[in-house]
Amino acid sequence: MTAEVWWRLGCFIGILAIMLLWERLAPKRQAQLSPKKRWPANLGIVVIDSIVLRLLIPAGAVGAALWAEQQSFGLLQQFDWPIWLTGILGFLVLDCAIYWQHRLFHRIPILWRIHRMHHADTDFDATTGLRFHPIEIVLSMLIKIAIVTVFGIGALTVLVFEVVLNATSLFNHGNVALPRRLEGPVRALIVTQEMHRIHHSQVQRETDSNFSFNLSIWDRLFGSYTAKPKAGSDGIAIGLKEYPAAPQSTKLTYLLMIPFRQPHPSAHAKSDTPDTDVSKR
């Protein structure tokens, strides 16, 4: 468990540093609010999330995987397959589960109230990939524990998956863009910034698409893929209309309270779809 913590921390700091440097050298978009205003709350959220998880579910999904291995519990534990095959299958199961979890958090109103804190960010950069409400983080961990236990996914696979998922979240939320010649080939395998930026559009039908976090195949497979935004890559309006850029929107207490209060009725978002009020999803 000690080695696990250091692996997670080392990969997190390394990828975050790379992405922040990339954003500084070649930003894709001009920020509405300066990083000095946004980053303290976004980074503060990930600290709170980490503390809450360590207090409530200290062993996490890796602990559940170790138990499943010791007890030979779960579907994959019932077959004498090569470790590389069970590792790949376990990784794919977890990635598909996260896709559907994300999709349900958009579809079920009470879950959307929690998840909208992530979408209320008025800018789109690597720190947005860390901005998830503690309640969502706990629910996500419980879902992962259930999947890991039912399928008997190995501990090493779970650790690799969680490190990769964290890294790709930092990567695909970056305020950067891959060269055009690389965008297509990379997007065919993993979610790119151009693909995921569409998911953070204020247009609801675009927000309700491109749910994948790591592997991009799930959106194509399950019919939720949007290749290009209506307004073009440079014209996407980021965030939610009912949460405009304002000084209070960068405060940590404000972010934590988003699931528990409705935005002012006059500020409700309107999109060009029949289901126009995204605050009521």
Side-chain angles (χ1 to χ4, degrees), residues 7 9 17 26 61 85 114 123 138 157 160 174 188 195 246 263-264 274-275 280:
W7 271 106
L9 186 60
L85 179 58
I114 299 167
D123 287 299
V138 170
T157 301
V160 169
M195 177 179 171
H264 192 278
D275 185 12
K280 294 182 180 178

Side-chain angles (χ1 to χ4, degrees), residues 19-20 22-24 26-35 38-39 42 102 115 118-132 168-178 183 187 191-202 206-207 209-210 212-213 233-234 236-240 245:
M19 292 309 302
L20 294 182
W22 188 0
E23 290 176 341
R24 181 64 181 270
K28 168 68 174 176
R29 297 164 58 96
Q30 180 68 39
Q32 294 189 59
L33 297 172
S34 71
R38 291 176 51 256
W39 287 1
N42 285 1
H102 190 186
H115 183 61
H118 177 66
H119 280 269
D121 201 344
T122 55
D123 287 299
F124 183 89
D125 65 20
T127 68
T128 309
L130 305 172
R131 179 174 152 150
F132 297 94
T168 51
S169 184
L170 291 170
F171 171 77
N172 60 43
H173 284 89
N175 183 27
V176 295
L178 295 171
E183 173 66 28
R187 188 190 291 204
V191 178
T192 63
Q193 298 85 12
E194 292 289 284
M195 177 179 171
H196 196 67
R197 193 177 292 111
I198 298 169
H199 180 70
H200 282 257
S201 165
Q202 290 184 7
E206 294 177 355
T207 308
S209 69
N210 295 2
S212 300
F213 259 97
S233 177
D234 294 327
I236 299 176
I238 298 295
L240 299 173

Side-chain angles (χ1 to χ4, degrees), residues 76-89:
L76 294 177
Q77 297 292 327
Q78 309 311 311
F79 300 95
D80 188 22
W81 290 340
I83 189 170
W84 63 266
L85 179 58
T86 57
I88 291 173
L89 291 175

Side-chain angles (χ1 to χ4, degrees), residues 3-252:
E4 174 203 351
V5 171
W6 285 109
W7 271 106
R8 291 179 188 274
L9 186 60
C11 292
F12 167 74
I13 293 175
I15 298 298
L16 179 60
I18 290 171
M19 292 309 302
L20 294 182
L21 179 60
W22 188 0
E23 290 176 341
R24 181 64 181 270
L25 296 176
K28 168 68 174 176
R29 297 164 58 96
Q30 180 68 39
Q32 294 189 59
L33 297 172
S34 71
K36 291 182 180 179
K37 293 182 178 180
R38 291 176 51 256
W39 287 1
N42 285 1
L43 295 174
I45 287 290
V46 76
V47 173
I48 292 174
D49 290 345
S50 300
I51 293 173
V52 168
L53 277 182
R54 287 294 169 179
L55 289 175
L56 297 182
I57 318 174
V62 172
L66 288 171
W67 177 86
E69 288 180 324
Q70 292 167 357
Q71 303 297 321
S72 296
F73 188 92
L75 183 61
L76 294 177
Q77 297 292 327
Q78 309 311 311
F79 300 95
D80 188 22
W81 290 340
I83 189 170
W84 63 266
L85 179 58
T86 57
I88 291 173
L89 291 175
F91 189 99
L92 291 174
V93 166
L94 283 169
D95 206 50
C96 185
I98 293 298
Y99 164 87
W100 279 107
Q101 172 195 304
H102 190 186
R103 193 161 177 173
L104 288 175
F105 266 78
H106 276 251
R107 180 55 54 190
I108 300 174
I110 193 170
L111 296 180
W112 169 248
R113 288 177 69 101
I114 299 167
H115 183 61
R116 69 185 176 190
M117 191 198 80
H118 177 66
H119 280 269
D121 201 344
T122 55
D123 287 299
F124 183 89
D125 65 20
T127 68
T128 309
L130 305 172
R131 179 174 152 150
F132 297 94
H133 199 279
I135 297 175
E136 179 171 358
I137 292 298
V138 170
L139 291 175
S140 179
M141 179 57 72
L142 293 175
I143 291 170
K144 277 190 288 186
I145 288 173
I147 296 297
V148 165
T149 304
V150 168
F151 284 89
I153 300 171
L156 180 58
T157 301
V158 175
L159 177 58
V160 169
F161 174 78
E162 291 191 328
V163 169
V164 170
L165 185 67
N166 183 261
T168 51
S169 184
L170 291 170
F171 171 77
N172 60 43
H173 284 89
N175 183 27
V176 295
L178 295 171
R180 288 187 178 182
R181 67 181 183 278
L182 295 179
E183 173 66 28
V186 173
R187 188 190 291 204
L189 179 61
I190 65 173
V191 178
T192 63
Q193 298 85 12
E194 292 289 284
M195 177 179 171
H196 196 67
R197 193 177 292 111
I198 298 169
H199 180 70
H200 282 257
S201 165
Q202 290 184 7
V203 178
Q204 186 176 328
R205 71 164 178 265
E206 294 177 355
T207 308
D208 289 340
S209 69
N210 295 2
F211 295 105
S212 300
F213 259 97
N214 180 27
L215 299 176
S216 62
I217 59 172
W218 309 118
D219 285 296
R220 295 182 180 88
L221 185 62
F222 298 116
S224 57
Y225 178 62
T226 297
K228 295 180 180 180
K230 182 178 179 180
S233 177
D234 294 327
I236 299 176
I238 298 295
L240 299 173
K241 292 181 182 179
E242 67 268 38
Y243 293 99
Q248 71 268 21
S249 69
T250 63
K251 295 180 179 179
L252 184 57

